[in-house]
């Protein structure tokens, strides 16, 4: 049987190789290290963790990432097996001994009879006779391959110096203070004239906000972050440094808006949030790209009227990243529409994080293996963490006309990506009406229970892994 070629032995490529081989299909895994390395990798091990050693919360009942862990375990994930075997104490989080973790993944793949590991850089589009390829070369894809992918996709950019803006859960925004309205009630394509959530600031609040930005702790830049940011995408604290009024004439301009809660009072400045996913559960802070430290962002942004209790699905950040405009370029099974023999996996598809990258590798591996056997791959239900993440990458995100050339940004898994419950729980096991945090916990528990039920049905209907399930 023809092998499936996987380029990149990181989190996604390693998991994809394990899944493909576990389903009985031969794999050739091409990893360029140690002959050629990236600015962040330090070893020649597969699935090297380039920064933190944490896989984040392992709480499968009330956390979306914990649920993703659990789903991966149930799908025979090598990354989760190696993580569990190399766990170090970290409270409710799953943290690992990074060397032990990478060594376990490397040994499992090197010892698998169906996997051939080749230490080589693929520096252009794969040869035409590789009829099924998974590209999992990550945020630091080697420049030669990145250039070839850019040419094949027709995109004018692939590697970005990301200044990303925070994303807020819609149901944590206080609409007794904020309100829905587009500037001048303009109804753009697909909009109805009330597409933005607006948070008003008085002059005193604006001045205090600018002071907080100027005094806020910024993350240090790394040597590998060589790409300059461009003027259209400046971090807000850099804008504030250029002048106290700059923000008020930029993303925070108060024009074309009337606050229905206080129609006589003209806001001095306005923060706008724009719908970020089709479900309407997530809103991004327009023009609020920032490199403030995460704790500072939460502290400073919660001082904005209407955001006092904001829950962030993603905080802003700045780093070099290579990723596709996936909703436009990939089909639902992660294949490049323009060249379906190429499938993408991991962070290059626009997910964010070690676990998410591995999870998309897991799906890409399963899809490629099913196709090799002549079957049409079955998509995971959108109610599962895998399905929700896949939907974000391949279609859930909505691009808006004023969002710039690329509004799609990498995202961690979070409950905002899940379709809402048909009926959110209102009463606890004791029959008492749920309120406050207890209500939020019950909602999360209902989402995770639904996910695991739906995953079980999906697993039951699919092929079984020979090695690990
Ligand atoms: C500096 C940095 C820090 C990060 N910190 C964290 C963090 O703390 N926590 C977190 O959850 N996420 C973090 N991320 C985000 C992301 O989750 C990780 O980058 C993750 O490793 C992505 O998995 P991946 O498999 O897509 O890519 P990678 O794990 O990077 O794997 C890609 C592999 O492809 C190889 N490769 C690249 N080009 C070629 C080529 N042409 N031919 C052959 N091989 C090639 C690389 O050597 C590498 O082994 C960080 C990212 C960066 C860049």
């Amino acid at each position: 049987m023809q092998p499936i070629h996987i380029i990149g032995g990181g989190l996604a490529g390693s998991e994809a190789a394990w899944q493909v081989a576990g389903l009985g299909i031969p794999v050739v895994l091409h990893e360029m290290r140690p002959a050629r390395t990236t600015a962040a990798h330090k070893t020649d091990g597969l699935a090297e963790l380039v920064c933190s050693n944490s896989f984040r919360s392992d709480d499968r009942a009330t956390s979306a990432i914990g649920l993703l862990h659990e789903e991966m375990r149930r799908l025979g994930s090598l990354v989760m097996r190696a993580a569990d075997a190399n766990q170090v104490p970290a409270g409710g989080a799953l943290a690992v001994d990074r060397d032990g973790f990478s060594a376990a993944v490397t040994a499992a793949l090197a010892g698998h009879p169906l996997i051939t590991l080749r230490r080589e850089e693929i520096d252009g589009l794969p040869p035409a006779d590789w009829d099924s390829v998974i590209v999992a070369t990550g945020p630091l894809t080697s420049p030669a391959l990145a250039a070839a992918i850019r040419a094949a996709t027709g995109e004018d950019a692939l590697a970005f110096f990301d200044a990303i803006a925070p994303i807020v859960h819609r149901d944590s925004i206080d609409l007794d203070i904020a309100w829905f309205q587009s500037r001048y009630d303009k109804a753009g394509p697909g909009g109805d004239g009330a597409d933005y959530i607006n948070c008003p600031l008085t002059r005193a609040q604006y001045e205090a906000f600018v002071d907080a930005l100027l005094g806020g702790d910024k993350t240090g830049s790394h040597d590998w972050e060589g790409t300059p940011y461009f003027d259209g995408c400046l971090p807000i604290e850099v804008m504030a440094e250029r002048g106290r009024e700059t923000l008020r004439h930029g993303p925070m301009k108060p024009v074309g808006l009337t606050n229905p809660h206080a129609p006589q009072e003209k806001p001095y400045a306005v923060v706008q949030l724009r719908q970020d996913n089709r479900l309407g559960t997530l809103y991004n802070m327009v023009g609020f790209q920032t490199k403030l430290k995460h704790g500072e962002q939460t502290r400073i942004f919660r001082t904005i009227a209407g955001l006092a209790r904001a829950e962030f699905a993603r905080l802003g950040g700045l780093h070099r990243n290579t990723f596709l405009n996936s909703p436009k370029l990939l089909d639902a099974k992660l294949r490049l529409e323009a060249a379906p023999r190429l499938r993408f996996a991991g962070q290059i598809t626009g997910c964010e994080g070690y676990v998410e990258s591995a999870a998309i590798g897991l799906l890409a591996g399963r899809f490629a293996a099913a196709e090799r056997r002549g079957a049409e791959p079955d998509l995971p239900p959108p109610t599962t963490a895998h399905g929700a993440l896949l939907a974000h990458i391949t279609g859930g995100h909505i691009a808006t006309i004023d969002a710039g050339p690329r509004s799609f940004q990498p995202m961690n898994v979070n409950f905002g990506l899940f379709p809402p419950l048909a009926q959110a729980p209102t009463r606890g096991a004791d029959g008492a009406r749920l309120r406050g945090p207890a209500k939020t916990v019950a909602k999360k528990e209902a989402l995770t229970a639904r996910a695991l039920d739906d995953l079980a049905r999906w697993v039951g209907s699919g092929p079984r892994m020979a090695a690990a399930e």
Side-chain angles (χ1 to χ4, degrees):
M1 193 185 289
Q2 280 250 74
I4 289 169
H5 291 265
I6 299 178
I7 311 177
L11 275 296
S14 296
E15 184 64 56
W18 181 252
Q19 295 285 328
V20 173
L23 292 165
I25 314 280
V27 175
V28 182
L29 177 59
H30 308 260
E31 167 54 56
M32 68 177 183
R33 290 175 291 119
R36 192 183 169 97
T37 191
T38 77
H41 289 85
K42 305 262 184 302
T43 74
D44 64 359
L46 301 179
E48 177 182 337
L49 305 180
V50 289
C51 189
S52 137
N53 67 333
S54 175
F55 281 24
R56 319 201 306 278
S57 170
D58 199 30
D59 174 0
R60 72 174 217 208
T62 62
S63 130
I65 186 69
L67 172 66
L68 189 61
H69 291 170
E70 181 58 22
E71 290 186 9
M72 291 176 74
R73 289 183 181 111
R74 294 184 186 193
L75 293 166
S77 160
L78 172 62
V79 163
M80 288 311 300
R81 192 180 87 179
D84 287 336
N86 288 281
Q87 197 167 357
V88 295
L94 173 59
V96 304
D97 173 307
R98 66 179 72 241
D99 295 330
F101 167 76
S102 171
V105 172
T106 307
L109 296 179
H112 198 295
L114 286 175
I115 299 177
T116 306
L117 177 57
R118 289 209 193 125
R119 298 286 188 169
E120 62 186 5
E121 179 188 2
I122 304 302
D123 60 3
L125 284 190
D129 62 335
W130 295 8
D131 68 338
S132 177
V133 182
I134 297 175
V135 181
T137 43
L140 305 169
T141 294
S142 72
L145 181 59
I149 296 170
R150 190 167 57 235
T153 55
E155 292 283 286
D156 50 10
L158 191 65
F160 295 88
F161 198 51
D162 281 347
I164 56 177
I167 294 182
V168 180
H169 287 273
R170 148 91 168 72
D171 59 9
S172 68
I173 302 171
D174 187 348
L175 290 173
D176 289 335
I177 296 173
W179 75 98
F180 275 97
Q181 187 184 8
S182 303
R183 283 190 209 285
Y184 304 107
D185 303 311
K186 201 168 138 196
D192 61 5
D195 301 336
Y196 291 80
I197 296 178
N198 301 280
C199 300
L201 279 81
T202 62
R203 179 172 197 148
Q205 286 170 329
Y206 177 78
E207 295 295 347
F209 181 70
V210 170
D211 286 337
L213 288 180
L214 293 175
D217 199 355
K218 285 77 174 177
T219 39
S221 67
H222 296 272
D223 294 345
W224 48 268
E225 293 174 339
T227 321
Y229 42 71
F230 48 97
D231 243 26
C233 197
L234 284 181
I236 46 167
E237 61 277 8
V238 175
M239 282 189 254
E241 279 162 14
R242 291 190 174 180
R244 296 190 68 85
E245 290 290 291
T246 307
L247 283 167
R248 224 170 70 77
H249 294 288
M252 295 177 75
K253 61 179 177 285
V255 301
L257 297 165
T258 305
N259 181 355
H261 307 300
Q264 314 309 334
E265 286 170 31
K266 180 120 186 80
Y268 190 71
V270 170
V271 174
Q272 289 203 301
L273 296 101
R274 178 178 48 228
Q275 186 173 333
D276 198 76
N277 62 344
R278 266 185 223 294
L279 296 172
T281 48
L282 300 174
Y283 275 69
N284 68 66
M285 298 178 70
V286 180
F288 264 52
Q289 52 276 357
T290 176
K291 55 179 177 167
L292 285 168
K293 286 204 162 149
H294 282 181
E296 289 287 81
Q297 291 183 40
T298 311
R299 179 180 71 78
I300 296 172
F301 296 154
R302 283 190 182 147
T303 65
I304 295 168
L307 301 185
R309 280 188 289 280
E311 291 298 329
F312 294 91
R314 183 190 74 197
L315 285 159
L318 196 74
H319 62 94
R320 180 169 179 264
N321 202 353
T322 307
F323 64 98
L324 296 170
N325 194 0
S326 296
K328 183 176 148 205
L329 297 173
L330 301 185
D331 70 11
K333 287 152 193 168
L334 297 164
R335 289 173 302 204
L336 192 63
E337 303 231 22
R341 76 185 173 107
L342 302 182
R343 175 171 259 120
F344 285 81
Q347 184 135 338
I348 198 169
T349 64
C351 61
E352 170 93 38
Y354 301 142
V355 184
E356 288 86 342
S357 296
I360 295 300
L362 182 153
L363 290 179
R366 288 187 162 227
F367 294 165
E371 266 170 22
R372 178 59 94 224
R373 293 200 173 281
E376 193 50 33
D378 232 2
L379 296 181
T383 46
T384 61
H386 280 83
L389 197 54
L390 183 68
H392 166 69
I393 291 165
T394 58
H397 173 81
I398 51 169
T400 45
I401 42 163
D402 54 352
R406 175 81 77 97
S407 66
F408 175 68
Q409 289 290 343
M411 172 99 80
N412 287 126
V413 69
N414 65 80
F415 285 122
L417 300 177
F418 289 62
L421 295 162
Q423 176 72 57
T426 52
R427 293 187 184 277
D430 57 358
R433 181 168 283 281
L434 290 165
R435 289 178 207 288
K439 195 170 170 186
T440 307
V441 168
K443 187 175 145 193
K444 290 177 177 172
E445 285 173 346
L447 283 167
T448 57
R450 180 182 70 175
L452 291 175
D453 281 352
D454 290 352
L455 184 87
R457 268 189 290 280
W458 183 62
V459 174
S461 66
R464 295 196 67 77
M465 293 266 290
E469 267 182 23

